[in-house]
């Protein structure tokens, strides 16, 4: 079976930060980073830490799915959404949005980190994520 990959590069100089097969997460660097501030998940497969964060994603559809968690979403609402994401029923939600595309650009702030398939990178500035269709075979 063929799968896509996510090519992650800095927008200022084109330097490759890495390739991700499953997910790229942008979140606050501090403890409980997923439960405060904005969080952006760009997913190739839809699954993230055991939940169906982007339920319509497929690992070989030539597209990326992006889940945005609004910075105003409370910790309580995030915990409830996380529980509901196990079944994919966390959407629709007024403080969660999903979009689909072949590439996404995000500005990463100094208090945030970029996590590629579980490996954290410190980056400040623009990050471009693009799908590489049929990048590998499993």
């Amino acid at each position: 079976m063929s799968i896509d990959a996510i090519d992650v590069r800095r927008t200022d100089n084109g330097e490759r930060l890495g390739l991700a097969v499953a997910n790229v997460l942008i979140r606050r660097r501090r403890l409980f980073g997923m439960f405060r501030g904005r969080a952006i998940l760009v997913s190739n497969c839809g699954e993230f830490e055991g939940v169906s964060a982007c339920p319509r994603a497929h690992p070989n559809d030539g597209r990326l799915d992006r889940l945005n968690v609004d910075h105003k979403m409370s910790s309580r609402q995030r915990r409830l959404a996380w529980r509901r994401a196990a079944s994919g029923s966390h959407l629709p939600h007024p403080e969660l949005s999903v979009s689909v595309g072949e590439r996404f650009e995000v500005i990463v702030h100094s208090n945030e980190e970029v996590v590629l398939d579980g490996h954290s990178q410190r980056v400040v500035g623009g990050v471009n994520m693009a799908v590489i269709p049929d990048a590998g075979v499993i």
Side-chain angles (χ1 to χ4, degrees), residues 63-79:
R63 302 180 306 169
L64 301 172
D65 290 60
R66 174 178 166 164
L67 174 68
N68 290 316
V69 179
D70 192 287
H71 71 280
K72 294 181 269 182
M73 190 175 192
S74 70
S75 296
R76 181 177 178 274
Q77 285 294 313
R78 290 175 195 231
R79 284 191 300 275

Side-chain angles (χ1 to χ4, degrees), residues 4-6 22-25 40-48 52-68 91 97-104 129-131:
D4 302 335
I6 307 170
N23 300 300
V24 177
L25 174 66
I40 300 169
L41 177 70
V42 176
S43 183
N44 181 38
C45 64
E47 298 291 322
F48 178 73
S52 184
C54 298
R56 294 188 176 189
H58 187 275
N60 191 33
D61 61 0
R63 302 180 306 169
L64 301 172
D65 290 60
R66 174 178 166 164
L67 174 68
N68 290 316
L91 298 170
S97 62
V98 175
S99 54
V100 177
E102 294 179 5
R103 75 177 46 245
F104 294 106
M129 293 160 277
V131 67

